[in-house]
Amino acid sequence: MSEIIDCIDLNSYFVKEGYKIGRPRYSRINLLKIILFAFMENGYLSLGGIEKSCKTDIRYMYLLDDMDAPSFVTIGNFIKNDLIDSMENIFIEINKIIFEKENVDIEHTYIDGTK
């Protein structure tokens, strides 16, 4: 999943903001990775559950790439402010990459779940 996200230029999907004084922001790409991983793994996970996983699960720590675990407020604000309008387009980009890498033929439907 991480290598697919790394193939996409996600900066065009995120809201452009000016420079603010204060703590450095979390990497938007890493936040997106942990959110997608949480929903991929669990189907649904609360923001508090994602925060807990970032603190205790080595896979989330790897996706955060040595960043401190974000709070549930940070995750929620990221979803609300950056992802609401662009999530559908991000999924389209992810599907394009997967279809190209796996040579998925979308012209045919298979009932045995192979494609």
Side-chain angles (χ1 to χ4, degrees):
M1 189 233 1
S2 186
E3 70 182 51
I4 292 172
I5 297 296
D6 292 338
C7 291
I8 302 170
D9 178 23
L10 294 169
N11 291 319
S12 61
Y13 296 112
F14 296 138
V15 175
K16 306 285 188 264
E17 292 188 32
Y19 179 79
K20 292 185 178 181
I21 297 174
R23 283 185 359 177
R25 292 187 61 143
Y26 282 94
S27 165
R28 294 172 172 179
I29 294 172
N30 290 356
L31 287 174
L32 178 63
K33 286 178 183 180
I34 63 166
I35 291 166
L36 291 177
F37 186 73
F39 284 94
M40 179 187 73
E41 182 183 29
N42 301 303
Y44 174 79
L45 192 60
S46 68
L47 298 178
I50 296 173
E51 176 186 14
K52 181 180 178 185
S53 294
C54 289
K55 292 177 180 178
T56 60
D57 191 328
I58 191 81
R59 299 171 298 171
Y60 288 84
M61 292 175 195
Y62 171 78
L63 291 174
L64 284 170
D65 195 27
D66 292 329
M67 291 186 332
D68 291 336
S71 70
F72 70 94
V73 174
T74 301
I75 298 166
N77 286 337
F78 173 69
I79 292 170
K80 181 179 75 173
N81 297 331
D82 290 314
L83 292 183
I84 290 296
D85 296 331
S86 60
M87 197 67 225
E88 187 174 332
N89 293 327
I90 292 171
F91 277 128
I92 290 170
E93 289 290 323
I94 290 170
N95 282 330
K96 282 182 189 176
I97 298 292
I98 292 171
F99 289 169
E100 289 171 12
K101 283 186 176 261
E102 299 296 325
N103 296 321
V104 176
D105 178 14
I106 58 175
E107 298 296 321
H108 296 91
T109 303
Y110 300 91
I111 59 173
D112 63 353
T114 58
K115 298 279 183 190

